[in-house]
Amino acid sequence: MDIEDLARRVTAGERRALARAITLIESNRADHRALALQLADRLSGTGNQALRLGLSGTPGVGKSTFIESFGNMLTEQGLRVAVLAVDPSSARSGGSILGDKTRMETLSRNPNAFIRPSPSQSELGGVARRTREVVALCEAAGFDVVLIETVGVGQSETMVAQMSDIFLLLLAPAGGDELQGVKRGIMEIADMILVNKADGALKPVATRTCADYAGALHLLRKRPEDPEGFPKAMTVSAVEGEGLRTAWEEMQTLAAWRRETGHWQARRARQSRHWFEEEVRLGLLARLSGSPEMRARMEALGTRVAEGDLAPAAAAHEMLALLDAAP
Ligand SMILES: Nc1nc2c(ncn2[C@@H]2O[C@H](COP(=O)(O)OP(=O)(O)OP(=O)(O)O)[C@@H](O)[C@H]2O)c(=O)[nH]1
Ligand SMILES: [Mg+2]
């Protein structure tokens, strides 16, 4: 495989080259991995910075519908949009985006949009790691906006926030007590809350819900990376396209402010450091379970720990010492 040529074609914005590069990045084969690293290295510093938007929300809140309307709106403004997903269940389901191309029908046929389902790795850490590399690819390929979708379960939101410049939380209109259902931790990483389905009979409920969340956001500790008025709660209707333009303007305002004040670069720098450490961590884990001998040793030590024969910390120490001995 000619990495130079592939890199050139990716930067030229060739979709097929991009798709091939992504397949390479998602592969677990050791030789592919080496080529993927070469490619990433070759593409780093191409200079293009996309706006990376994270989007999270529980099943049925309208993520796909939102991405369809919002994505089409952006392409109408002449922007190129990539849509990626971090789906921890994708190893089993084959990826939510793929299953739901019907909800993104026009966007998936849009020449200025690129939709890619979640990589099917068995662990969330692996999914997030590959997605992050694909974000960088899309950026090198000249996309203006990269949308990273995740369904709001477990750790996936935090991981998506860690690869986004702006993190959006999509919520449904709900009664007052349901507001408690959104975990504080999620509220704290949200840059904007969008209460969807603000249309028809749901509109008054959505407006009330939005006010409730605006109040809740207000109670959170002020973050240095926010200008006055952020994080912000707004109502939208993905189906009717209502509020999307305003939401986009707010995102741009926030992005511009963060760029001017240096928070944008600081956030990216923090994220890069985080992913570096994550790579090291995952690399160590891989080495610890990479060979049958290592796995057998882990299993044996685990058994001794379970039987009370050895303390967990002592067993871990013994296991880690093997890494020094291993080539
Ligand atoms: N009234 C109304 N319904 C909406 C809106 N957006 C989405 N829906 C409906 O909500 C349902 C779920 O929408 P999806 O876009 O599939 O939601 P999702 O968040 O992608 O769901 P999962 O992929 O299962 O996580 C569909 O029946 C949509 O038509 C909206 O703005 N207003
Ligand atoms: Mg969906």
PDB file of all heavy atoms in Angstrom, residues 280-301:
ATOM      1  N   VAL A 280      -1.066   5.120  25.751  1.00  0.00           N
ATOM      2  CA  VAL A 280      -0.062   4.422  26.546  1.00  0.00           C
ATOM      3  C   VAL A 280      -0.743   3.371  27.430  1.00  0.00           C
ATOM      4  O   VAL A 280      -0.336   2.216  27.498  1.00  0.00           O
ATOM      5  CB  VAL A 280       0.753   5.407  27.419  1.00  0.00           C
ATOM      6  CG1 VAL A 280       1.654   4.653  28.394  1.00  0.00           C
ATOM      7  CG2 VAL A 280       1.584   6.323  26.535  1.00  0.00           C
ATOM      8  N   ARG A 281      -1.829   3.806  28.063  1.00  0.00           N
ATOM      9  CA  ARG A 281      -2.566   2.909  28.953  1.00  0.00           C
ATOM     10  C   ARG A 281      -3.076   1.679  28.192  1.00  0.00           C
ATOM     11  O   ARG A 281      -2.885   0.541  28.612  1.00  0.00           O
ATOM     12  CB  ARG A 281      -3.752   3.670  29.561  1.00  0.00           C
ATOM     13  CG  ARG A 281      -4.194   3.209  30.934  1.00  0.00           C
ATOM     14  CD  ARG A 281      -5.302   4.109  31.462  1.00  0.00           C
ATOM     15  NE  ARG A 281      -6.474   4.112  30.588  1.00  0.00           N
ATOM     16  CZ  ARG A 281      -7.384   3.155  30.560  1.00  0.00           C
ATOM     17  NH1 ARG A 281      -7.277   2.122  31.350  1.00  0.00           N
ATOM     18  NH2 ARG A 281      -8.405   3.224  29.724  1.00  0.00           N
ATOM     19  N   LEU A 282      -3.709   1.942  27.030  1.00  0.00           N
ATOM     20  CA  LEU A 282      -4.240   0.836  26.240  1.00  0.00           C
ATOM     21  C   LEU A 282      -3.112  -0.044  25.685  1.00  0.00           C
ATOM     22  O   LEU A 282      -3.258  -1.257  25.587  1.00  0.00           O
ATOM     23  CB  LEU A 282      -5.113   1.369  25.092  1.00  0.00           C
ATOM     24  CG  LEU A 282      -6.443   1.999  25.527  1.00  0.00           C
ATOM     25  CD1 LEU A 282      -7.120   2.682  24.347  1.00  0.00           C
ATOM     26  CD2 LEU A 282      -7.374   0.958  26.133  1.00  0.00           C
ATOM     27  N   GLY A 283      -2.002   0.606  25.348  1.00  0.00           N
ATOM     28  CA  GLY A 283      -0.848  -0.142  24.847  1.00  0.00           C
ATOM     29  C   GLY A 283      -0.303  -1.088  25.905  1.00  0.00           C
ATOM     30  O   GLY A 283       0.023  -2.244  25.622  1.00  0.00           O
ATOM     31  N   LEU A 284      -0.236  -0.596  27.121  1.00  0.00           N
ATOM     32  CA  LEU A 284       0.238  -1.439  28.218  1.00  0.00           C
ATOM     33  C   LEU A 284      -0.721  -2.604  28.447  1.00  0.00           C
ATOM     34  O   LEU A 284      -0.306  -3.742  28.614  1.00  0.00           O
ATOM     35  CB  LEU A 284       0.356  -0.617  29.506  1.00  0.00           C
ATOM     36  CG  LEU A 284       1.580   0.281  29.612  1.00  0.00           C
ATOM     37  CD1 LEU A 284       1.496   1.138  30.862  1.00  0.00           C
ATOM     38  CD2 LEU A 284       2.864  -0.564  29.628  1.00  0.00           C
ATOM     39  N   LEU A 285      -1.999  -2.290  28.431  1.00  0.00           N
ATOM     40  CA  LEU A 285      -2.997  -3.354  28.609  1.00  0.00           C
ATOM     41  C   LEU A 285      -2.871  -4.400  27.514  1.00  0.00           C
ATOM     42  O   LEU A 285      -2.961  -5.598  27.765  1.00  0.00           O
ATOM     43  CB  LEU A 285      -4.411  -2.757  28.600  1.00  0.00           C
ATOM     44  CG  LEU A 285      -4.824  -2.029  29.873  1.00  0.00           C
ATOM     45  CD1 LEU A 285      -6.191  -1.385  29.692  1.00  0.00           C
ATOM     46  CD2 LEU A 285      -4.860  -3.002  31.057  1.00  0.00           C
ATOM     47  N   ALA A 286      -2.645  -3.925  26.291  1.00  0.00           N
ATOM     48  CA  ALA A 286      -2.517  -4.854  25.171  1.00  0.00           C
ATOM     49  C   ALA A 286      -1.305  -5.759  25.364  1.00  0.00           C
ATOM     50  O   ALA A 286      -1.361  -6.959  25.095  1.00  0.00           O
ATOM     51  CB  ALA A 286      -2.398  -4.079  23.858  1.00  0.00           C
ATOM     52  N   ARG A 287      -0.209  -5.164  25.855  1.00  0.00           N
ATOM     53  CA  ARG A 287       0.981  -5.984  26.076  1.00  0.00           C
ATOM     54  C   ARG A 287       0.749  -7.001  27.187  1.00  0.00           C
ATOM     55  O   ARG A 287       1.250  -8.116  27.144  1.00  0.00           O
ATOM     56  CB  ARG A 287       2.173  -5.097  26.428  1.00  0.00           C
ATOM     57  CG  ARG A 287       2.801  -4.457  25.208  1.00  0.00           C
ATOM     58  CD  ARG A 287       3.948  -3.572  25.587  1.00  0.00           C
ATOM     59  NE  ARG A 287       5.059  -4.328  26.184  1.00  0.00           N
ATOM     60  CZ  ARG A 287       6.092  -3.750  26.804  1.00  0.00           C
ATOM     61  NH1 ARG A 287       6.131  -2.447  26.917  1.00  0.00           N
ATOM     62  NH2 ARG A 287       7.057  -4.479  27.317  1.00  0.00           N
ATOM     63  N   LEU A 288      -0.064  -6.591  28.173  1.00  0.00           N
ATOM     64  CA  LEU A 288      -0.341  -7.494  29.286  1.00  0.00           C
ATOM     65  C   LEU A 288      -1.222  -8.671  28.888  1.00  0.00           C
ATOM     66  O   LEU A 288      -1.288  -9.669  29.577  1.00  0.00           O
ATOM     67  CB  LEU A 288      -1.006  -6.727  30.434  1.00  0.00           C
ATOM     68  CG  LEU A 288      -0.041  -5.946  31.327  1.00  0.00           C
ATOM     69  CD1 LEU A 288      -0.809  -5.054  32.269  1.00  0.00           C
ATOM     70  CD2 LEU A 288       0.858  -6.895  32.114  1.00  0.00           C
ATOM     71  N   SER A 289      -1.951  -8.504  27.798  1.00  0.00           N
ATOM     72  CA  SER A 289      -2.809  -9.620  27.394  1.00  0.00           C
ATOM     73  C   SER A 289      -2.500 -10.043  25.970  1.00  0.00           C
ATOM     74  O   SER A 289      -3.256 -10.754  25.338  1.00  0.00           O
ATOM     75  CB  SER A 289      -4.287  -9.213  27.525  1.00  0.00           C
ATOM     76  OG  SER A 289      -4.512  -8.072  26.729  1.00  0.00           O
ATOM     77  N   GLY A 290      -1.348  -9.586  25.470  1.00  0.00           N
ATOM     78  CA  GLY A 290      -1.001  -9.797  24.065  1.00  0.00           C
ATOM     79  C   GLY A 290      -0.579 -11.223  23.731  1.00  0.00           C
ATOM     80  O   GLY A 290      -0.791 -11.684  22.615  1.00  0.00           O
ATOM     81  N   SER A 291       0.023 -11.914  24.674  1.00  0.00           N
ATOM     82  CA  SER A 291       0.490 -13.269  24.352  1.00  0.00           C
ATOM     83  C   SER A 291      -0.231 -14.275  25.241  1.00  0.00           C
ATOM     84  O   SER A 291      -0.686 -13.942  26.336  1.00  0.00           O
ATOM     85  CB  SER A 291       2.000 -13.362  24.593  1.00  0.00           C
ATOM     86  OG  SER A 291       2.268 -13.289  25.979  1.00  0.00           O
ATOM     87  N   PRO A 292      -0.309 -15.518  24.774  1.00  0.00           N
ATOM     88  CA  PRO A 292      -0.961 -16.566  25.576  1.00  0.00           C
ATOM     89  C   PRO A 292      -0.286 -16.736  26.932  1.00  0.00           C
ATOM     90  O   PRO A 292      -0.967 -16.957  27.929  1.00  0.00           O
ATOM     91  CB  PRO A 292      -0.784 -17.833  24.721  1.00  0.00           C
ATOM     92  CG  PRO A 292      -0.512 -17.342  23.341  1.00  0.00           C
ATOM     93  CD  PRO A 292       0.127 -16.005  23.449  1.00  0.00           C
ATOM     94  N   GLU A 293       1.044 -16.565  26.965  1.00  0.00           N
ATOM     95  CA  GLU A 293       1.767 -16.705  28.234  1.00  0.00           C
ATOM     96  C   GLU A 293       1.311 -15.636  29.227  1.00  0.00           C
ATOM     97  O   GLU A 293       1.052 -15.918  30.398  1.00  0.00           O
ATOM     98  CB  GLU A 293       3.284 -16.560  28.027  1.00  0.00           C
ATOM     99  CG  GLU A 293       3.923 -17.662  27.179  1.00  0.00           C
ATOM    100  CD  GLU A 293       3.725 -17.416  25.688  1.00  0.00           C
ATOM    101  OE1 GLU A 293       3.809 -16.246  25.263  1.00  0.00           O
ATOM    102  OE2 GLU A 293       3.462 -18.381  24.950  1.00  0.00           O
ATOM    103  N   MET A 294       1.228 -14.411  28.724  1.00  0.00           N
ATOM    104  CA  MET A 294       0.817 -13.302  29.583  1.00  0.00           C
ATOM    105  C   MET A 294      -0.597 -13.525  30.097  1.00  0.00           C
ATOM    106  O   MET A 294      -0.900 -13.291  31.266  1.00  0.00           O
ATOM    107  CB  MET A 294       0.882 -11.986  28.811  1.00  0.00           C
ATOM    108  CG  MET A 294       2.300 -11.464  28.630  1.00  0.00           C
ATOM    109  SD  MET A 294       3.032 -10.977  30.216  1.00  0.00           S
ATOM    110  CE  MET A 294       4.070  -9.636  29.716  1.00  0.00           C
ATOM    111  N   ARG A 295      -1.467 -13.963  29.183  1.00  0.00           N
ATOM    112  CA  ARG A 295      -2.864 -14.178  29.600  1.00  0.00           C
ATOM    113  C   ARG A 295      -2.933 -15.291  30.646  1.00  0.00           C
ATOM    114  O   ARG A 295      -3.674 -15.193  31.622  1.00  0.00           O
ATOM    115  CB  ARG A 295      -3.739 -14.509  28.385  1.00  0.00           C
ATOM    116  CG  ARG A 295      -4.177 -13.264  27.613  1.00  0.00           C
ATOM    117  CD  ARG A 295      -5.341 -13.569  26.667  1.00  0.00           C
ATOM    118  NE  ARG A 295      -4.986 -14.556  25.656  1.00  0.00           N
ATOM    119  CZ  ARG A 295      -4.369 -14.250  24.504  1.00  0.00           C
ATOM    120  NH1 ARG A 295      -4.051 -12.995  24.234  1.00  0.00           N
ATOM    121  NH2 ARG A 295      -4.080 -15.182  23.630  1.00  0.00           N
ATOM    122  N   ALA A 296      -2.143 -16.324  30.448  1.00  0.00           N
ATOM    123  CA  ALA A 296      -2.141 -17.449  31.393  1.00  0.00           C
ATOM    124  C   ALA A 296      -1.636 -16.984  32.764  1.00  0.00           C
ATOM    125  O   ALA A 296      -2.192 -17.336  33.807  1.00  0.00           O
ATOM    126  CB  ALA A 296      -1.253 -18.579  30.863  1.00  0.00           C
ATOM    127  N   ARG A 297      -0.619 -16.146  32.720  1.00  0.00           N
ATOM    128  CA  ARG A 297      -0.047 -15.630  33.961  1.00  0.00           C
ATOM    129  C   ARG A 297      -1.063 -14.761  34.702  1.00  0.00           C
ATOM    130  O   ARG A 297      -1.228 -14.849  35.913  1.00  0.00           O
ATOM    131  CB  ARG A 297       1.191 -14.820  33.588  1.00  0.00           C
ATOM    132  CG  ARG A 297       2.122 -14.545  34.724  1.00  0.00           C
ATOM    133  CD  ARG A 297       2.681 -15.848  35.294  1.00  0.00           C
ATOM    134  NE  ARG A 297       3.569 -15.550  36.403  1.00  0.00           N
ATOM    135  CZ  ARG A 297       4.877 -15.405  36.275  1.00  0.00           C
ATOM    136  NH1 ARG A 297       5.459 -15.600  35.132  1.00  0.00           N
ATOM    137  NH2 ARG A 297       5.614 -15.082  37.337  1.00  0.00           N
ATOM    138  N   MET A 298      -1.756 -13.935  33.941  1.00  0.00           N
ATOM    139  CA  MET A 298      -2.791 -13.061  34.495  1.00  0.00           C
ATOM    140  C   MET A 298      -3.875 -13.902  35.162  1.00  0.00           C
ATOM    141  O   MET A 298      -4.320 -13.611  36.270  1.00  0.00           O
ATOM    142  CB  MET A 298      -3.385 -12.234  33.345  1.00  0.00           C
ATOM    143  CG  MET A 298      -4.281 -11.118  33.779  1.00  0.00           C
ATOM    144  SD  MET A 298      -3.310  -9.628  34.105  1.00  0.00           S
ATOM    145  CE  MET A 298      -4.552  -8.400  33.874  1.00  0.00           C
ATOM    146  N   GLU A 299      -4.285 -14.920  34.441  1.00  0.00           N
ATOM    147  CA  GLU A 299      -5.331 -15.823  34.922  1.00  0.00           C
ATOM    148  C   GLU A 299      -4.883 -16.495  36.231  1.00  0.00           C
ATOM    149  O   GLU A 299      -5.627 -16.533  37.212  1.00  0.00           O
ATOM    150  CB  GLU A 299      -5.599 -16.873  33.827  1.00  0.00           C
ATOM    151  CG  GLU A 299      -6.727 -17.842  34.103  1.00  0.00           C
ATOM    152  CD  GLU A 299      -8.048 -17.147  34.370  1.00  0.00           C
ATOM    153  OE1 GLU A 299      -8.305 -16.100  33.719  1.00  0.00           O
ATOM    154  OE2 GLU A 299      -8.808 -17.624  35.240  1.00  0.00           O
ATOM    155  N   ALA A 300      -3.662 -16.998  36.227  1.00  0.00           N
ATOM    156  CA  ALA A 300      -3.130 -17.715  37.398  1.00  0.00           C
ATOM    157  C   ALA A 300      -3.027 -16.789  38.609  1.00  0.00           C
ATOM    158  O   ALA A 300      -3.445 -17.145  39.718  1.00  0.00           O
ATOM    159  CB  ALA A 300      -1.767 -18.312  37.064  1.00  0.00           C
ATOM    160  N   LEU A 301      -2.507 -15.585  38.354  1.00  0.00           N
ATOM    161  CA  LEU A 301      -2.391 -14.626  39.463  1.00  0.00           C
ATOM    162  C   LEU A 301      -3.777 -14.230  39.967  1.00  0.00           C
ATOM    163  O   LEU A 301      -4.001 -14.091  41.167  1.00  0.00           O
ATOM    164  CB  LEU A 301      -1.610 -13.390  39.012  1.00  0.00           C
ATOM    165  CG  LEU A 301      -0.081 -13.552  38.922  1.00  0.00           C
ATOM    166  CD1 LEU A 301       0.548 -12.373  38.201  1.00  0.00           C
ATOM    167  CD2 LEU A 301       0.536 -13.716  40.310  1.00  0.00           C
TER     168      LEU A 301
END
